[in-house]
């Protein structure tokens, strides 16, 4: 029953887990590119990868906060569609 409807907690858990993993992976990648890679080794490709990581972090943060805002202020309509991913 948790995965059959949009209001089930199973779908919410799966979507939030996927978004959390994507967010965490790109945060680690951004820290690696920003802190570990030397300035001498930093090429245009590395700059593009860092920009991509920051973009995905911002996008994932937006989707997660969209859900949390809906859950906080209107919990009766909170569902997996509250992530605004669809």
């Amino acid at each position: 029953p948790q995965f059959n409807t949009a209001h089930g907690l199973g779908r919410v858990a799966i979507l939030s887990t996927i978004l959390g993993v994507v967010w965490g992976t790109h945060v680690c990648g951004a820290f690696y590119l920003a802190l570990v890679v030397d300035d001498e080794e930093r090429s245009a490709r590395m700059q593009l990868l860092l920009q991509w990581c920051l973009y995905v972090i911002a996008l994932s943060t937006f989707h997660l906060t969209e859900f949390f805002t809906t859950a906080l202020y209107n919990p009766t309509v909170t569902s997996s569609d509250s992530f605004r991913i669809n």
Side-chain angles (χ1 to χ4, degrees):
Q2 296 296 329
F3 293 95
N4 293 338
T5 65
H7 292 284
L9 293 178
R11 287 188 181 187
V12 171
I14 286 175
L15 285 173
S16 61
T17 300
I18 290 170
L19 278 174
V21 167
V22 167
W23 186 86
T25 302
H26 285 85
V27 165
C28 290
F31 275 122
Y32 175 76
L33 290 170
L35 300 176
V36 176
V37 178
D38 292 335
D39 288 334
E40 298 169 356
E41 296 177 15
R42 196 169 288 161
S43 63
R45 181 170 287 181
M46 293 292 182
Q47 290 290 343
L48 287 174
L49 283 173
L50 181 60
Q51 289 175 358
W52 172 256
C53 286
L54 294 175
Y55 170 74
V56 173
I57 290 168
L59 193 64
S60 298
T61 302
F62 168 76
H63 286 296
L64 285 169
T65 55
E66 181 76 23
F67 174 78
F68 290 134
T69 303
T70 304
L72 184 65
Y73 292 108
N74 202 357
T76 58
V77 298
T78 301
S79 68
S80 62
D81 292 335
S82 301
F83 281 106
R84 303 286 182 220
I85 294 177
N86 307 18

